[in-house]
Amino acid sequence: GCDGSLLLDSSGSIVTEKGSNPNSNSARGFDVVDQIKAALENECPGTVSCADLLTLAARDSSVLTGGPSWMVPLGRRDSRSASLSGSNNNIPAPNNTFSTILSRFNNQGLDLTDLVALSGSHTIGFSRCTSFRQRLYNQSGNGSPDITLEQSYATNLRQRCPPSGGDQNLSELDINSAGKFDNSYFKNLIENMGLLNSDQVLFSSNEESSELVKTYAEDQEEFFEQFAESMIKMGNLSPLTGSSGEIRKNCRKINS
């Protein structure tokens, strides 16, 4: 989150958010964060928080893969706690309905435009078989696949994601260019080739959302502009500042 709580390891009374359903075996790269933090501590001890480090890394990941850049407001401080239940209850799940996903965004002060634009981050990266298996075999609990999933794409996915086993097998969130930050994610949704149910419902379940998908599919520049705006907005959600929290020496544990 905006307070770096995602990075904490479990210890004592703290039960880590790393083990929450949305994050377990999904959020990765913690070793890279540790390396960056070690370098920062070496140069400027106790100056840059883990929360700011994460926010800057998100922006730089966009830039390095060909996406937009934006000015990151800095000065966040790190939490001295974590919330497993908060992570489980606030982060949308891959099989959530559109209305549930939107309400979880609304609860954090983000709107429908933010939801569609920020979902466009799925233009890069991968997802585990466990996050989309239901769509391939048993979408509604009746033993049938999701009819909104393009058939040849579904056949391709079944080869990587069998009915049982292979839980951690990865598939591209954007089958066309998983390593490039572009607008092909939205083009895929129009072709019914969104990997996650939570991706495809942006096009199939709501007219206003569907229109935004079409807009971003046609105009990459508009997507980039809105993505940057929504990332700044999300990065400003209730950060710890001033004398609140701390600046951790090690992102995995609170200062003793």
Side-chain angles (χ1 to χ4, degrees):
C2 293
D3 57 10
S5 53
L6 169 64
L7 301 172
L8 285 171
D9 287 338
S10 289
S11 66
S13 62
I14 294 176
V15 181
T16 182
E17 291 171 24
K18 288 179 180 175
S20 70
N21 294 330
N23 293 331
S24 178
N25 295 316
S26 179
R28 305 182 185 202
F30 296 112
D31 53 336
V32 178
V33 172
D34 291 340
Q35 291 170 29
I36 298 170
K37 180 61 172 170
L40 284 166
E41 285 302 303
N42 193 46
E43 290 292 323
C44 314
T47 305
V48 183
S49 69
C50 299
D52 273 351
L53 188 165
L54 265 189
T55 313
L56 289 164
R59 190 270 313 276
D60 292 351
S61 297
S62 170
V63 173
L64 289 168
T65 51
S69 182
W70 58 92
M71 287 292 293
V72 176
L74 300 174
R76 295 170 191 77
R77 288 166 65 86
D78 297 320
S79 71
R80 295 181 57 82
S81 63
S83 174
L84 179 66
S85 62
S87 183
N88 279 327
N89 295 331
N90 294 331
I91 299 176
N95 61 346
N96 280 162
T97 63
F98 177 84
S99 60
T100 297
I101 297 166
L102 181 59
S103 69
R104 289 190 170 193
F105 269 70
N106 289 163
N107 289 343
Q108 303 302 319
L110 299 168
D111 60 25
L112 183 142
T113 302
D114 298 316
L115 163 59
V116 179
L118 291 170
S119 295
S121 64
H122 285 180
T123 179
I124 54 175
F126 300 83
S127 184
R128 296 171 299 144
C129 169
T130 49
S131 296
F132 57 86
R133 175 184 280 130
Q134 183 177 345
R135 297 190 73 201
L136 301 179
Y137 304 103
N138 190 26
Q139 173 67 356
S140 302
N142 59 1
S144 300
D146 185 348
I147 57 171
T148 69
L149 193 60
E150 199 275 331
Q151 287 189 0
S152 61
Y153 179 47
T155 300
N156 175 301
L157 290 173
R158 286 189 192 101
Q159 294 171 359
R160 295 281 303 142
C161 186
S164 62
D167 286 3
Q168 306 305 324
N169 289 356
L170 298 174
S171 290
E172 300 95 335
L173 284 158
D174 170 3
I175 193 172
N176 290 316
S177 53
K180 187 168 187 287
F181 199 110
D182 54 23
N183 67 338
S184 64
Y185 166 83
F186 297 104
K187 295 175 182 176
N188 293 342
L189 298 186
I190 294 170
E191 301 295 326
N192 291 322
M193 292 171 66
L195 180 62
L196 305 178
N197 184 72
S198 54
D199 294 320
Q200 195 58 51
V201 292
L202 299 180
F203 184 70
S204 61
S205 296
N206 178 276
E207 190 173 344
E208 187 181 352
S209 173
S210 174
E211 288 303 314
L212 278 173
V213 168
K214 292 176 191 171
T215 297
Y216 298 152
E218 292 166 8
D219 190 339
Q220 180 167 283
E221 192 170 325
E222 183 160 349
F223 163 48
F224 278 15
E225 287 178 8
Q226 183 57 54
F227 184 82
E229 192 174 309
S230 294
M231 283 296 286
I232 293 170
K233 184 174 176 182
M234 184 170 65
N236 285 333
L237 297 178
S238 307
L240 297 174
T241 58
S243 58
S244 300
E246 65 181 16
I247 294 179
R248 272 184 233 142
K249 298 184 180 78
N250 178 329
C251 291
R252 293 175 181 260
K253 58 187 181 184
I254 60 174
N255 295 341
S256 53

